[in-house]
Amino acid sequence: MKQGIIEGNHRSFVTSVHDRTRVDAGIFHHFHLSWINAISNALNDGRLPDGYYALAEQTAGKKVPDVIALHRPAAEPDDGYAGDTGTSVVVAKPRVRITSVCDADRYAKKQNTIVIRHSSGDRIVALPEIVSQGNKSSKDAFRRFVQKLVNRIDSGYHVMVVDLQVPTIRDPNGIHGAIRDELDEELYTAPPDKPLTLASYCSDVDKTAYVEPIAVGDPLIEMPLFPNPDHYVNVPLVETYQTAWQHLPERWRAVIEPHRT
């Protein structure tokens, strides 16, 4: 597993996905919370366009909040960015291996997540989600989690899912495979050597999925997150993963990377 070491403070910088089966759900839960905060901070630090902001928060209740309806720009620049909204907002096609169009008609409850809101009414427009071991711990937990994601996409939210958990009997093709199975009849089959998945969903007239299959030991990439159907921002998964890794106690970093220098 590739990594670098900063001499003098003994802090390792990871560049690839760890094997989460080395620790129990409680240890990953700590990492999960740190990663959520790191992603939220990174998005608020100039990644999101004006008027948008990210919060790590709990969403609750039976009704889905209204999705903000934003006007699309009259013209888009040809340099790959969205005018004066900042150079982090991209209009070019996301650089992932698989792109597919799908549809959905399922509903679910909401759970804890990162949310992207717009200052006009503070309504939710997009939701990044990091899959935890608890989401796959039982048939009921898995069903509720997948239904929640499908409901969000169907309701007009733009969703990003980071699934670094080992597939189970309930999701042999990962969370994206389960989501795709609910969205339409075209099934997704994960490559045998890439069972983990990064996926972003743009919810417009057509619901488009941008998918990057990965495996333990592979480097993370930046994934697109859509504030609106016409533009996306690249979520810095590598930098935020490294930040969360530094906040994991050394005792557990040594378990996850037993041969770390």
Side-chain angles (χ1 to χ4, degrees):
M1 187 174 297
K2 297 180 180 179
Q3 61 180 32
I5 302 294
I6 297 181
E7 296 182 358
N9 62 10
H10 306 291
R11 295 175 65 189
S12 64
F13 275 72
V14 297
T15 59
S16 54
V17 176
H18 288 114
D19 182 357
R20 280 160 174 69
T21 62
R22 293 181 180 273
V23 295
D24 62 25
I27 302 305
F28 180 73
H29 178 67
H30 177 87
F31 179 85
H32 182 271
L33 294 177
S34 296
W35 200 7
I36 283 178
N37 287 330
I39 291 175
S40 297
N41 293 337
L43 290 173
N44 287 329
D45 191 20
R47 289 264 176 172
L48 290 172
D50 293 342
Y52 295 88
Y53 62 91
L55 288 178
E57 65 179 60
Q58 182 181 34
T59 55
K62 296 182 179 180
K63 291 187 65 177
V64 178
D66 292 335
V67 180
I68 188 169
L70 299 177
H71 293 293
R72 300 183 182 181
E76 295 179 353
D78 57 8
D79 62 356
Y81 295 98
D84 61 358
T85 57
T87 57
S88 63
V89 183
V90 187
V91 297
K93 183 179 179 181
R95 296 181 179 180
V96 296
R97 303 187 194 188
I98 302 169
T99 301
S100 60
V101 179
C102 40
D103 202 355
D105 61 354
R106 304 301 171 98
Y107 297 89
K109 296 180 180 179
K110 295 160 285 160
Q111 294 185 156
N112 297 347
T113 187
I114 306 169
V115 298
I116 310 302
R117 295 177 178 268
H118 192 273
S119 56
S120 174
D122 298 303
R123 286 172 287 178
I124 299 171
V125 295
L127 302 105
E129 186 82 51
I130 300 174
V131 181
S132 69
Q133 288 175 268
N135 297 136
K136 300 186 180 185
S137 62
S138 68
K139 182 178 181 180
D140 183 59
F142 180 75
R143 177 187 57 80
R144 286 187 284 107
F145 182 66
V146 171
Q147 287 182 340
K148 177 190 72 173
L149 296 176
V150 171
N151 174 54
R152 288 174 172 176
I153 297 168
D154 185 51
S155 297
Y157 293 99
H158 311 297
V159 175
M160 184 190 76
V161 179
V162 178
D163 181 14
L164 304 184
Q165 303 296 333
V166 176
T168 68
I169 191 173
R170 289 175 281 277
D171 66 326
N173 293 299
I175 290 293
H176 174 65
I179 292 172
R180 191 60 195 259
D181 188 32
E182 292 289 321
L183 290 174
D184 58 25
E185 295 180 354
E186 183 178 345
L187 301 181
Y188 168 79
T189 302
D193 60 337
K194 306 284 184 182
L196 313 180
T197 312
L198 309 175
S200 288
Y201 305 87
C202 179
S203 184
D204 198 6
V205 176
D206 291 321
K207 297 169 178 62
T208 304
Y210 300 91
V211 183
E212 181 72 12
I214 60 173
V216 169
D218 285 354
L220 288 168
I221 68 168
E222 292 190 334
M223 284 297 291
L225 177 66
F226 293 81
N228 60 60
D230 294 317
H231 306 107
Y232 66 88
V233 297
N234 283 314
V235 179
L237 295 181
V238 175
E239 294 91 335
T240 54
Y241 190 99
Q242 290 173 347
T243 298
W245 174 253
Q246 300 310 317
H247 288 89
L248 191 67
E250 173 63 25
R251 182 260 189 275
W252 292 109
R253 281 188 276 163
V255 172
I256 295 172
E257 285 190 336
H259 303 298
R260 184 160 56 86
T261 303

